[in-house]
Amino acid sequence: MEKDCIFCQIAHGRTDTEILTETDTLVVFKDINPHAPVHLLFVPKKHIRSINDLTSADQEILSELIMVARDMAKEHGVSKSGYKLLYNVEKGGGQLVFHLHLHLIGGWH
Ligand code: AMP
Ligand code: ZN
């Protein structure tokens, strides 16, 4: 855990952010500035800066992020209508919080 990292603080229960789902590996919460009716963030408890910093030891984290996102898409009723899963990578890729996270965006009509 990095003490100056907002997503570390959220993932370790140090804020009042509502956690929608938690596993041993990750937490899920709503994006504070949603870009769509459904905008969730899937955040590993381990501090990893970005996709660039993943190692082969992190493969289970990555697959769990996607599998839990798939489940939460269903729970939020966007499985059939469709959704985007997105990683922003580093500044040029639009990354603002330098703790790896997967965006789930959907729910447009
Ligand atoms: P990114 O541009 O991929 O780094 O996305 C970071 C996302 O985190 C943005 O969509 C922000 O709105 C969101 N965000 C930042 N701080 C918080 C917070 N405290 N709670 C929920 N979402 C946040
Ligand atoms: Zn962090």
Side-chain angles (χ1 to χ4, degrees):
M1 157 147 187
E2 303 257 319
K3 70 174 175 18
D4 295 331
C5 171
I6 181 64
F7 282 4
C8 278
Q9 288 170 12
I10 294 172
H12 291 89
R14 307 278 163 85
T15 72
D16 56 10
T17 301
E18 184 192 356
I19 301 299
L20 303 180
T21 294
E22 178 170 8
T23 71
D24 288 345
T25 309
L26 61 83
V27 295
V28 185
F29 53 91
K30 288 183 181 165
D31 195 293
I32 204 169
N33 181 24
H35 288 213
V38 177
H39 188 168
L40 306 179
L41 298 175
F42 299 78
V43 177
K45 291 181 178 176
K46 179 181 176 187
H47 182 87
I48 302 166
R49 179 183 164 93
S50 83
I51 287 280
N52 287 342
D53 302 281
L54 285 166
T55 70
S56 52
D58 298 322
Q59 287 185 34
E60 275 186 30
I61 295 175
L62 202 51
S63 61
E64 189 165 333
L65 287 168
I66 294 170
M67 298 303 267
V68 173
R70 185 271 318 267
D71 294 345
M72 291 295 277
K74 192 168 184 190
E75 200 173 297
H76 282 75
V78 298
S79 277
K80 292 260 165 58
S81 56
Y83 54 94
K84 296 178 193 290
L85 293 180
L86 177 74
Y87 289 101
N88 293 325
V89 183
E90 293 296 336
K91 290 192 180 72
Q95 189 174 3
L96 298 172
V97 176
F98 294 99
H99 176 131
L100 182 72
H101 52 280
L102 173 62
H103 294 257
L104 185 159
I105 305 167
W108 307 276
H109 295 294

